[in-house]
Amino acid sequence: ALIRTISNVSSWFYIIIPAYFAVSYLTLSAFVARWAWFIFLIAIIYEVIHALENMISFGIQKYIQKNKKAEDYDPHSESMVRIAGVLVRVVLWSIAILLIISNLGFNISSLVASLGIGGIAIALAVQNILSDLFSSFSLYIDKPFQVGDYIIVGEHSGTVSRIGLKTTRLQALRGEEIVISNKELTTARVQNLKKLKKRRETLVFGVTYQTPHAKLEKIPSIVEKLVSSVDQVEFDRGHFAAYEASSLDFETVYFLDTSDFTTYMNAKQQINLALYQAFQKEGIEFAYPTQTIFVEKH
C-alpha cells in the first residue's frame, strides 16, 4: 500500500513543490506570492488526502479478503466497512476544503455554523432513515445475529437472509419474507436460536390415583432409564411432583445436545413413545380429567 501510494503521486506535484521553494526566494508582489502559496497548499492537501484514501482502501480490501475466508462469513460486515470507508473519505475531503477556504482568507466560522444548522435540519427531515442507518451500524458492531441465523423477534421468526442499511429480511418457515426495520431490531428482544447449544425439556405427565404405591416408586427409575437410552439426551432429574385434582403428577427434566429442531423433535417423540410402551407393560394408566360422583340414598 505504501509503494502504491508513493507511485501514484502525480507528476505535477514534483514540479509544484520545487517551483514554490524556488519562487519563494524571489521578490514578488503580494498577490503572486499568495497564489503561489495557495497552489502549493492545494498540492500538499490533495496528495495527503489521496495517500490517506489509498491506505483506507488497502485496509478495507484486506478486511474483506479476511472476512471472506472466515467460516462465519458475513456479507453485512463487508457492506458496513465499505460505507464506513465512504464516510471517512467524505470527512477527509470536507476538512481539506475547509482548510483551503480558510487559507484563502475567508472566515469559515460562519460557514461551519451554517453547515451545522443545515445538518440539523437535514437530520430532522430524515431522522427515521438515519435512525435505521445507525441501528445497522449497531447491529454490525454488536453482532447479535448474522445471515443464516434463525431468530425470533416478537411474534415473527425466520432465518436471516439479508441485513441491509435500513431493514433486515427474514425467511419465514412458511416461505414468506418478513421485512423488519433495523431500529426495531435494536430496541426489541431478539432470540437467536442459532446460538442454542443445548435444549432443556420438561416432561410433565400424570397417572391415576388408583396406581399402587410400589409402581409409583418405580416410575422415576423407568423414566430415567428410557430417557438415558436416547442419543444426544442427558437425563437431569425426575420426581413425583404434585397431587392434582384427577392425577398424580410426575416431572422429568432432560437436556438435548443439539440445536437442530428436527433432531430435537425426533428425540422427544422417541421418549414419549417409549414412555407409553413402558407404562403399558407395567400396567400403569395415564390420568386424564375425570370426576367421581358419590350418590347417597336416604
Side-chain angles (χ1 to χ4, degrees):
L2 184 61
I3 293 172
R4 184 176 61 184
T5 300
I6 295 173
S7 62
N8 287 339
V9 174
S10 303
S11 57
W12 56 265
F13 179 77
Y14 295 107
I15 300 173
I16 291 174
I17 299 303
Y20 170 76
F21 286 106
V23 169
S24 63
Y25 286 97
L26 302 176
T27 303
L28 302 171
S29 64
F31 177 79
V32 175
R34 184 179 178 185
W35 274 99
W37 160 252
F38 178 62
I39 294 171
F40 171 76
L41 181 67
I42 290 178
I44 293 293
I45 291 176
Y46 176 82
E47 291 301 332
V48 169
I49 298 298
H50 194 57
L52 290 174
E53 279 189 319
N54 283 333
M55 299 305 293
I56 291 170
S57 298
F58 175 76
I60 291 174
Q61 289 175 3
K62 280 295 181 183
Y63 177 84
I64 292 173
Q65 291 174 2
K66 183 179 179 181
N67 188 36
K68 286 183 176 180
K69 292 179 181 178
E71 294 181 359
D72 55 343
Y73 169 63
D74 184 11
H76 180 232
S77 299
E78 183 176 332
S79 61
M80 287 297 100
V81 170
R82 291 187 185 277
I83 292 169
V86 172
L87 293 177
V88 171
R89 289 187 180 96
V90 170
V91 171
L92 288 175
W93 282 108
S94 299
I95 294 173
I97 292 171
L98 289 174
L99 283 173
I100 293 171
I101 294 174
S102 176
N103 279 274
L104 280 174
F106 294 98
N107 185 6
I108 64 170
S109 299
S110 57
L111 177 61
V112 172
S114 301
L115 290 175
I117 295 171
I120 292 173
I122 294 172
L124 290 174
V126 295
Q127 57 180 331
N128 291 330
I129 297 174
L130 290 177
S131 178
D132 287 327
L133 179 62
F134 284 112
S135 295
S136 181
F137 277 105
S138 178
L139 293 176
Y140 163 66
I141 294 170
D142 192 44
K143 286 184 171 54
F145 53 83
Q146 296 179 354
V147 173
D149 291 0
Y150 188 88
I151 64 173
I152 300 175
V153 185
E155 60 181 8
H156 303 292
S157 63
T159 303
V160 180
S161 59
R162 181 177 179 272
I163 304 173
L165 293 179
K166 191 178 187 308
T167 61
T168 294
R169 301 173 188 271
L170 307 181
Q171 193 72 36
L173 292 176
R174 292 183 298 179
E176 74 273 19
E177 185 178 66
I178 302 172
V179 182
I180 305 176
S181 69
N182 290 332
K183 181 182 178 181
E184 182 180 348
L185 288 172
T186 54
T187 56
R189 181 176 298 174
V190 179
Q191 293 177 264
N192 191 342
L193 299 184
K194 184 66 177 293
K195 303 295 177 72
L196 182 68
K197 302 300 180 184
K198 181 183 287 188
R199 291 179 181 267
R200 183 181 187 272
E201 180 66 21
T202 302
L203 173 63
V204 179
F205 59 89
V207 297
T208 62
Y209 271 88
Q210 289 74 30
T211 306
H213 179 271
K215 290 187 177 181
L216 288 176
E217 288 185 325
K218 292 175 62 177
I219 288 176
S221 59
I222 291 172
V223 177
E224 179 180 359
K225 183 178 179 180
L226 63 90
V227 168
S228 301
S229 65
V230 179
D231 292 337
Q232 294 184 290
V233 175
E234 175 187 347
F235 177 82
D236 183 45
R237 63 176 179 84
H239 296 95
F240 178 15
Y243 291 92
E244 294 296 337
S246 58
S247 65
L248 303 173
D249 282 3
F250 286 79
E251 183 179 272
T252 301
V253 177
Y254 58 89
F255 293 93
L256 290 95
D257 297 325
T258 179
S259 60
D260 183 69
F261 186 75
T262 303
T263 305
Y264 156 72
M265 288 302 298
N266 288 339
K268 188 175 180 179
Q269 175 181 261
Q270 186 177 347
I271 291 171
N272 289 338
L273 290 173
L275 181 63
Y276 192 89
Q277 185 180 28
F279 277 20
Q280 276 190 330
K281 290 181 179 179
E282 293 290 337
I284 301 173
E285 294 184 5
F286 286 101
Y288 51 87
T290 57
Q291 187 175 24
T292 303
I293 300 175
F294 295 93
V295 180
E296 184 177 348
K297 293 183 180 180
H298 295 281

